[in-house]
Amino acid sequence: MKTEYVERPDLSTEEGLREIARAGEIIRRGGLVVFPTETVFGLGGNALDAEAAGKIYSAKGRPSDNPLIIHIADPADASKYCETNELFGRLARAFMPGPLTVVLPAKPIVPKTVTANLPTVAVRCPSHPVAHALIVAAGVPIAAPSANLSGSPSPTTFRHVREDLDGRVDMILGGECEIGVESTIVRIDGQNELTLLRPGGITPEQLGEFARVSLSPAVLDKLKEGERVQSPGMKYKHYAPKTPLYLLRGDGEERMRFLAEQTGKFGVLAYTGDVDVIRALDTAPVVFDLGDENDPAQPLHRLFYLLREADKAGCERIYAPLPGTDGLSLALYNRMIRAAAYQIISL
Ligand code: TXA
Ligand code: MG
């Protein structure tokens, strides 16, 4: 199919509003539109149309047992699609619109293709103005996974989306993704219990103000053989660059010594403070700047972008520092261990 593009939709102009109206029309009549959110780009279709949901899986090449998130324009709409409770209301007031997805028992109106036959459904209210305007224009909730081909890192720029989905969707809207990794997903287990299924821009510490938070085992570790998965997406090898990635556990000095001993063409994801020193090493690695080590929002914002760029640099392998697991770093850690297929080198 021929894909239409709007690289910079401008909601302050008549033309921009016309383009969004057109994108909404495409969704309403069963087509697919890629749109920016504050986390990553989404590949959207009408969430109440089983056939449109089916198209999303095939455009991405996604296994049909991995359910989709329903995007809504107003948290109050959640109760149309799932059984909400008081805790949902408190989370919605604190974090919505924003990068938080909640999993609750699904209502029958939600097609089984969207939930992949699970009794629950994931709901999120994005804060990105283009995402919001699109949902309003469509007049229906939008089912949207990340807009990557299954298995590659989620796209965070117009160019990366285009590389994956050109010719596979009706329209692509561009924009900025402020956070750079997908939303935090929690399952609401009662009035005071949350299970963190996927870390993101809302941290467990922030959620802990509202309920007891337990971490799904797949957040920090590889699932054990035969272990039951709480969020189907967790079982797939994810976010993986084609070039093998290894995470280095050790301090800055140990990393430097290790990198100075490598041979061949290799890449390094490095914090800004280390970039110049690593570039000057005799082993001449290709260096990618992760941003400030003391501000995890920066490496989080750049990670998926850099993994895709590093893949194009023709390296035999890539090294990156293993992040911590506090606060926002947990999301970085979770994505990096998956991208590295759990290969950690202790220095
Ligand atoms: O930030 C985001 O959440 C982005 C943007 C586009 O909104 N979307 C996104 O969708 O990351 P996706 O499909 O790539 O990831 C959704 C995750 C999957 O791992 C899926 O298994 C999980 O949500 N999920 C969806 N419904 C679920 C459910 N009912 N129970 C447990 N996990 C669920
Ligand atoms: Mg995804």
Side-chain angles (χ1 to χ4, degrees), residues 60 146 148 238:
K60 253 184 93 84
S146 48
N148 50 295
H238 236 121

Side-chain angles (χ1 to χ4, degrees), residues 8 12 198 205 237 245 251 314:
R8 286 189 195 83
S12 67
R198 180 177 73 183
E205 290 84 350
K237 183 175 174 220
L245 173 69
D251 61 27

Side-chain angles (χ1 to χ4, degrees), residues 1-5 166-171:
M1 80 174 64
K2 174 130 181 54
T3 302
E4 265 181 71
Y5 295 101
D166 186 28
R168 292 172 168 262
V169 296
D170 297 286
M171 194 183 216

Side-chain angles (χ1 to χ4, degrees), residues 217-218 222-230 234-235:
K222 192 172 177 170
L223 278 175
K224 314 237 173 358
E225 203 66 46
E227 193 168 342
R228 221 180 122 260
V229 65
Q230 293 177 318
M234 294 284 196
K235 74 182 171 196

Side-chain angles (χ1 to χ4, degrees), residues 39 62 66-67 69 71 120 122 124 145-146 182-183 185 198 231 233:
T39 58
R62 179 178 189 139
N66 193 3
I69 295 174
H71 296 67
T120 50
R124 140 162 158 79
S146 48
E182 308 87 341
S183 60
I185 306 182
R198 180 177 73 183
S231 182

Side-chain angles (χ1 to χ4, degrees), residues 1-287:
M1 80 174 64
K2 174 130 181 54
T3 302
E4 265 181 71
Y5 295 101
V6 184
E7 188 168 352
R8 286 189 195 83
D10 182 352
L11 301 176
S12 67
T13 65
E14 288 283 326
E15 195 196 351
L17 295 176
R18 261 200 311 278
E19 287 159 345
I20 297 290
R22 192 166 146 55
E25 175 71 35
I26 292 175
I27 297 266
R28 204 163 43 248
R29 63 168 173 75
L32 301 182
V33 175
V34 168
F35 60 98
T37 84
E38 69 279 19
T39 58
V40 300
F41 278 83
L43 197 184
N46 181 349
L48 301 180
D49 175 350
E51 214 175 297
K55 284 195 210 168
I56 294 176
Y57 289 93
S58 35
K60 253 184 93 84
R62 179 178 189 139
S64 59
D65 65 348
N66 193 3
L68 308 176
I69 295 174
I70 296 190
H71 296 67
I72 53 180
D74 181 339
D77 291 338
S79 59
K80 296 181 190 165
Y81 313 113
C82 55
E83 308 289 347
T84 56
N85 65 1
E86 261 175 53
L87 176 55
F88 170 82
R90 279 182 272 141
L91 293 175
R93 277 190 293 281
F95 303 115
M96 293 181 194
L100 180 69
T101 297
V102 297
V103 172
L104 282 162
K107 287 195 170 168
I109 187 177
V110 181
K112 295 282 178 211
T113 17
V114 170
T115 60
N117 283 311
L118 290 176
T120 50
V121 65
V123 186
R124 140 162 158 79
C125 177
S127 63
H128 195 295
V130 172
H132 179 83
L134 178 65
I135 304 166
V136 172
V140 291
I142 297 183
S146 48
N148 50 295
L149 290 177
S150 200
S152 57
S154 299
T156 53
T157 63
F158 181 71
R159 183 162 56 84
H160 285 166
V161 154
R162 214 172 154 161
E163 286 168 5
D164 272 20
L165 294 178
D166 186 28
R168 292 172 168 262
V169 296
D170 297 286
M171 194 183 216
I172 298 180
L173 303 173
E176 298 293 318
C177 302
E178 196 189 326
I179 295 177
V181 300
E182 308 87 341
S183 60
T184 300
I185 306 182
V186 288
R187 192 182 60 214
I188 297 186
D189 293 327
Q191 291 300 3
N192 194 31
E193 298 283 339
L194 294 173
T195 302
L196 182 77
L197 301 180
R198 180 177 73 183
I202 305 293
T203 65
E205 290 84 350
Q206 284 174 289
L207 294 163
E209 305 270 316
F210 297 86
R212 213 173 10 240
V213 183
S214 38
L215 261 56
S216 167
V219 169
L220 287 168
D221 285 308
K222 192 172 177 170
L223 278 175
K224 314 237 173 358
E225 203 66 46
E227 193 168 342
R228 221 180 122 260
V229 65
Q230 293 177 318
S231 182
M234 294 284 196
K235 74 182 171 196
Y236 296 105
K237 183 175 174 220
H238 236 121
Y239 321 114
K242 293 177 195 79
T243 319
L245 173 69
Y246 299 90
L247 302 180
L248 305 179
R249 190 199 307 270
D251 61 27
E253 236 170 79
E254 290 165 324
R255 287 201 297 272
M256 219 59 80
R257 216 173 305 134
F258 176 86
L259 296 172
E261 288 164 358
Q262 296 308 302
T263 53
K265 182 168 179 186
F266 66 99
V268 181
L269 305 185
Y271 294 119
T272 305
D274 299 331
V275 164
D276 288 343
V277 195
I278 296 177
R279 279 214 176 104
L281 290 172
D282 289 340
T283 48
V286 185
V287 184

Side-chain angles (χ1 to χ4, degrees), residues 320-332:
L322 179 72
T325 55
D326 286 347
L328 264 188
S329 293
L330 181 64
L332 190 63

